[in-house]
Amino acid sequence: MLRRKVYNALCPEKAEPRPRYASLRTLYEPFTGLHNRQILDPGSLVFYFPSPNTVTGEDVLEFHIHGGPAIVKAVLAAIAKVDPCFPGKTEPARIRYAEPGEFTRRAFYNNRLDLTQIEALGDSLSAETEQQRRLAVNGTTNKLTERYEAWRSILLYARGELEALIDFSEDQHFEESPRQLIASVANQVNSLRSRIDSSIKNACKGELLRNGIRVALLGAPNAGKSSLLNRIVGREAAIVSSEAGTTRDVIEISVDIGGFLCKFGDLAGLQNNKNGITDEQTESALNIGVVELEGIRRARKWILDADVIIVVLPIQPPTDGSQVCKVSVDPEIIRTLAQRDARRQELLFVVSKIDLIGPEDEIDRSEIRKLLHTIQELDFPGSDNGQPLLNFYNMTEHEDLFRVSCKEDLNVGHGDSISSSGVQELLDGLSNIFTRMTKAEDLQDDRPHLVSREESLGASERHRLLLVQCQGYLNAFSNQISSTQDIDVVLAAEALRGAADCLAKISGKGEAGDVEEVLGVVFEKFCVGK
């Protein structure tokens, strides 16, 4: 046995370690003779784990050696000498380096892990924030696979009923009429469709946790977006200047806020593009260059792709001797917000540069109310603008806006400065929004023990695409049986087969070719060996 051969070569004349117990051993250069032995590592812990109860389901021999690069290199070279590959040798080498993900692949083939657990393991290795860690840990159970297999069993049973109707309807007497039997199957499928729909939504929310929530800073030039970004990340990540238009390209920075991975985008300021002026004419009409114009185009695209939009509205100190400060709202902001997806994108409003306000000054909120009412009408046409604004906008008529100052207070530390400037309140507000955005949908399952809401967030993008494909087959089934003409039971049964196959591919129980293709995609992200 190769495992025993390796151990005896590196630990000559020493008894094999007791299974699942640590044994202290001195590792030697193999095949050097009793009097010429060269020590590779004077104190290595050796573990032996017999199959099948191991991580891979196979025998495992582990050498826990001192971590110096020279020792590691020497021990690896010594192991290779135990079964060398000579020139002209036709048999493949039995000792080699593991390929990326090979240990996990063997665990899959030996039924130690299913495919959803393997993907969760990959998430664990790449997790950077607390929410990503929780997401990965929830996915390491086999609850998702149990759920998908339970759904697949429902479809297989329903398909069996239809195929029995095809094969034996003329020869056998069924307790139910064909129409009643099809209606019973349809009820099962409709119930399953609603559960799959909830799982698809949860998979999308899980992707926000896994890949990061995109947050766009929207505002006019010199509104304080770059200063706000620098205060949030705690360093000079973006250039700040009193000159408008210093940000020309998208600056994307990842930040951990309340355990959520956020990808902030500091964007070029949007300037008013008056009606009738095309993008080609904007350069001369607004006196901006080609580079800044391209920055504005990229900014608009980034904003429409973002998950959260922070609208930065700069304060304007009083200039007429009064104590009323106005808030500047550029018309281009309204034009851009009118194009956003109100069902998917969250909005948050920040009044910046509040350090310009004197102790006796007040803020004129009329422009802000006008902006919010305009957005409300865009999102909900025909709504009564006299009603209090929805919490969808994270504020009401009676709530304060998030007010921040990005001016550094030299008399306090960085953390205290953030708290006193209003930035911490903004971060807390963002954390609450992220929590709401990623709250799992009710699974509407009659067997809730199969998987919890939080565990359903662990479904990956691959799961989601297959669930969408499965939903398409179920929709095709519903269209077949709802036809006013004669029902084609064969096509209806085929649609259920396609839906069941999609669920099988998620858990790795599909056809051999499908499984190998999926494994290639999953394991290419793993480090060598793992």
Side-chain angles (χ1 to χ4, degrees), residues 444-468:
Q444 304 173 5
D445 204 328
D446 54 355
R447 287 180 287 182
H449 65 279
L450 287 179
V451 62
S452 67
R453 286 188 181 187
E454 289 70 25
E455 287 170 331
S456 68
L457 293 174
S460 66
E461 176 68 4
R462 185 183 69 85
H463 300 181
R464 187 189 69 82
L465 293 175
L466 286 169
L467 288 174
V468 170

Side-chain angles (χ1 to χ4, degrees), residues 111-185:
N111 296 318
R112 299 297 295 170
L113 293 173
D114 61 49
L115 203 51
T116 60
Q117 291 175 302
I118 291 172
E119 289 173 305
L121 176 60
D123 290 340
S124 299
L125 298 176
S126 60
E128 298 178 358
T129 68
E130 176 62 15
Q131 292 296 333
Q132 289 178 322
R133 182 195 66 79
R134 293 182 183 180
L135 182 73
V137 170
N138 285 334
T140 55
T141 67
N142 64 345
K143 296 295 185 181
L144 277 175
T145 295
E146 290 180 359
R147 160 173 283 270
Y148 297 140
E149 285 301 296
W151 289 352
R152 190 164 76 102
S153 297
I154 293 174
L155 293 176
L156 292 176
Y157 180 80
R159 177 188 167 198
E161 289 187 307
L162 291 183
E163 292 187 345
L165 186 62
I166 297 170
D167 296 334
F168 308 112
S169 60
E170 297 180 358
D171 303 326
Q172 303 292 332
H173 176 70
F174 290 91
E175 294 181 358
E176 299 175 300
S177 68
R179 177 64 66 176
Q180 290 175 322
L181 184 62
I182 293 174
S184 175
V185 171

Side-chain angles (χ1 to χ4, degrees), residues 225-279:
K225 302 183 297 300
S226 297
S227 298
L228 178 59
L229 177 65
N230 290 341
R231 295 288 282 157
I232 290 174
V233 302
R235 61 185 176 88
E236 295 296 322
I239 298 175
V240 177
S241 170
S242 59
E243 179 185 348
T246 52
T247 302
R248 303 294 181 89
D249 203 352
V250 177
I251 300 176
E252 184 174 319
I253 300 175
S254 296
V255 186
D256 183 345
I257 296 180
F260 295 91
L261 176 62
C262 310
K263 297 181 178 180
F264 276 84
D266 183 24
L267 315 171
L270 303 186
Q271 302 187 45
N272 183 20
N273 182 356
K274 297 180 181 180
N275 294 332
I277 299 180
T278 64
D279 288 340

Side-chain angles (χ1 to χ4, degrees), residues 120-401:
L121 176 60
D123 290 340
S124 299
L125 298 176
S126 60
E128 298 178 358
T129 68
E130 176 62 15
Q131 292 296 333
Q132 289 178 322
R133 182 195 66 79
R134 293 182 183 180
L135 182 73
V137 170
N138 285 334
T140 55
T141 67
N142 64 345
K143 296 295 185 181
L144 277 175
T145 295
E146 290 180 359
R147 160 173 283 270
Y148 297 140
E149 285 301 296
W151 289 352
R152 190 164 76 102
S153 297
I154 293 174
L155 293 176
L156 292 176
Y157 180 80
R159 177 188 167 198
E161 289 187 307
L162 291 183
E163 292 187 345
L165 186 62
I166 297 170
D167 296 334
F168 308 112
S169 60
E170 297 180 358
D171 303 326
Q172 303 292 332
H173 176 70
F174 290 91
E175 294 181 358
E176 299 175 300
S177 68
R179 177 64 66 176
Q180 290 175 322
L181 184 62
I182 293 174
S184 175
V185 171
N187 289 335
Q188 298 177 55
V189 170
N190 288 334
S191 175
L192 184 57
R193 285 171 63 190
S194 64
R195 283 176 263 169
I196 291 178
D197 185 60
S198 296
S199 291
I200 292 173
K201 293 178 181 178
N202 285 345
C204 293
K205 295 181 177 183
E207 282 300 298
L208 290 178
L209 296 174
R210 186 177 291 107
N211 297 329
I213 301 172
R214 291 163 61 91
V215 182
L217 297 175
L218 167 62
N222 208 21
K225 302 183 297 300
S226 297
S227 298
L228 178 59
L229 177 65
N230 290 341
R231 295 288 282 157
I232 290 174
V233 302
R235 61 185 176 88
E236 295 296 322
I239 298 175
V240 177
S241 170
S242 59
E243 179 185 348
T246 52
T247 302
R248 303 294 181 89
D249 203 352
V250 177
I251 300 176
E252 184 174 319
I253 300 175
S254 296
V255 186
D256 183 345
I257 296 180
F260 295 91
L261 176 62
C262 310
K263 297 181 178 180
F264 276 84
D266 183 24
L267 315 171
L270 303 186
Q271 302 187 45
N272 183 20
N273 182 356
K274 297 180 181 180
N275 294 332
I277 299 180
T278 64
D279 288 340
E280 291 76 12
Q281 297 170 316
T282 302
E283 178 183 350
S284 57
L286 298 179
N287 194 29
I288 61 177
V290 176
V291 175
E292 188 174 354
L293 183 64
E294 174 63 17
I296 292 174
R297 186 192 67 79
R298 296 186 182 187
R300 287 199 187 101
K301 184 180 185 304
W302 214 94
I303 290 167
L304 298 179
D305 290 338
D307 304 300
V308 177
I309 302 175
I310 298 179
V311 183
V312 182
L313 306 172
I315 203 77
Q316 294 179 339
T319 57
D320 53 0
S322 68
Q323 294 180 326
V324 178
C325 301
K326 294 185 178 296
V327 176
S328 175
V329 179
D330 194 285
E332 187 63 20
I333 292 176
I334 299 177
R335 177 174 175 244
T336 302
L337 292 178
Q339 302 174 43
R340 85 186 208 286
D341 185 350
R343 296 171 298 178
R344 182 183 63 83
Q345 295 178 296
E346 295 276 352
L347 275 182
L348 192 110
F349 296 88
V350 172
V351 174
S352 63
K353 304 184 180 182
I354 60 170
D355 51 278
L356 300 178
I357 304 176
E360 304 297 329
D361 293 339
E362 297 179 358
I363 299 178
D364 182 1
R365 296 170 177 255
S366 59
E367 288 297 316
I368 300 174
R369 291 194 181 99
K370 185 187 301 183
L371 168 64
L372 296 177
H373 285 311
T374 301
I375 296 172
Q376 183 182 21
E377 181 61 29
L378 289 170
D379 293 345
F380 308 98
S383 61
D384 184 1
N385 283 346
Q387 297 295 324
L389 292 168
L390 303 176
N391 286 332
F392 182 81
Y393 304 117
N394 308 301
M395 61 171 289
T396 69
E397 296 269 36
H398 308 291
E399 287 181 337
D400 286 336
L401 293 161

